[in-house]
Amino acid sequence: MLAFIAACLHIFSPAGLFLSAPYGESTYALLSFTGYFLFVQSFSPSGASTSLKDALIPLAGILCGLATTVRSNGILNGLLFLEEAIRALYSLTGAITFAKFRRLLAVGVAGICTALGFVVPQYIAYRDFCINYPFTGHDEPRIWCRRTLPSISSFVQDHYWNNGFLRYWTVSNIPLFALASPMLATMTYSALWTLNVESGRLTGAGRLLRSLAAPQLILAALTFSKHHVQIITRMSSGYPVWYF
């Protein structure tokens, strides 16, 4: 019943219009949610790690990586695997076993796959605009190629969208902050509530929700402080914690 309610809330969320159109939000949500599902399935009811269960983790990472190619904020999904990697490393302090090492390796591969979803598009853009620029009709490399971290994503957001810390905080944008405030408040409250739940009570799906609360909170904070704040109404569709 809870899953049905969550699905209904997802359909009738503020991003409903975008989810019903050929837009990136629906694709991102599909890939991310499927990745989360596989990650949950990797937990054994007995708590023991098995090769079949651990094999699901890299698959989850691949899906999260594909989601990141659709929406760059998908890189925050890497926190899911980072927390699990820390848990796996901590478990090795007790006794080193092949099963524990196998799970750590699986989580590491998943994290790399997620990161590649962000790095590969950046590399392709760097190759085309900074190295092979004569073949793309440009006389010289683009200005962002000379940055310490040459990211086309950050350049586009800064140069064309005027994203930046507090740049959107203008009087004319007050109505947009009012539009975004219900979603920002919901995402922030639900994330903080989930993070405050005792760790000992969380296993499997509960641990997943706790791991996803941090990315949701980070997204809300970044959107509020440096992005076009109204986009939170559609970006929120890919973060399931607030549905619960």
Side-chain angles (χ1 to χ4, degrees):
M1 185 62 182
L2 183 60
F4 176 76
I5 295 175
C8 290
L9 289 174
H10 180 69
I11 295 172
F12 295 104
S13 71
L17 179 63
F18 294 95
L19 294 174
S20 60
Y23 211 70
E25 263 60 39
S26 56
T27 304
Y28 173 82
L30 172 64
L31 293 170
S32 294
F33 290 176
T34 307
Y36 304 155
F37 173 76
L38 291 178
F39 183 75
V40 170
Q41 294 301 307
S42 73
F43 291 97
S44 172
S46 63
S49 176
T50 65
S51 57
L52 183 60
K53 293 288 186 180
D54 290 344
L56 296 175
I57 300 179
L59 294 178
I62 291 173
L63 288 170
C64 287
L66 292 174
T68 306
T69 63
V70 176
R71 287 288 180 219
S72 60
N73 55 283
I75 191 66
L76 295 175
N77 288 332
L79 294 176
L80 174 71
F81 304 111
L82 176 61
E83 180 178 350
E84 187 62 20
I86 294 174
R87 291 178 184 273
L89 281 172
Y90 181 76
S91 69
L92 291 175
T93 60
I96 299 178
T97 64
F98 177 73
K100 292 179 180 179
F101 182 78
R102 182 185 60 218
R103 188 166 185 86
L104 177 61
L105 179 62
V107 173
V109 171
I112 292 173
C113 290
T114 303
L116 286 176
F118 181 82
V119 173
V120 170
Q122 302 298 314
Y123 169 74
I124 293 174
Y126 182 83
R127 181 196 61 191
D128 291 343
F129 292 101
C130 303
I131 299 177
N132 298 330
Y133 62 90
F135 302 102
T136 58
H138 295 87
D139 297 328
E140 60 182 15
R142 298 299 301 271
I143 188 173
W144 58 270
C145 297
R146 295 189 289 271
R147 293 182 176 179
T148 304
L149 294 176
S151 169
I152 190 173
S153 177
S154 60
F155 169 74
V156 168
Q157 293 186 29
D158 174 56
H159 185 75
Y160 294 105
W161 298 343
N162 196 34
N163 280 344
F165 185 65
L166 302 185
R167 289 185 185 178
Y168 212 60
W169 287 34
T170 62
V171 174
S172 61
N173 286 331
I174 290 178
L176 295 177
F177 275 90
L179 175 67
S181 59
M183 199 68 255
L184 285 172
T186 301
M187 293 182 69
T188 301
Y189 175 80
S190 60
L192 290 175
W193 181 88
T194 304
L195 288 171
N196 286 330
V197 174
E198 294 181 13
S199 300
R201 295 167 51 192
L202 296 178
T203 58
R207 279 170 57 180
L208 173 66
L209 287 176
R210 184 179 176 87
S211 299
L212 292 176
Q216 178 176 295
L217 185 62
I218 292 173
L219 179 71
L222 289 176
T223 305
F224 180 69
S225 61
K226 60 175 298 186
H227 296 312
H228 293 192
V229 71
Q230 71 274 12
I231 67 174
I232 197 65
T233 57
R234 57 180 174 82
M235 293 176 67
S236 61
S237 63
Y239 292 81
V241 173
W242 67 274
Y243 294 117
F244 294 92

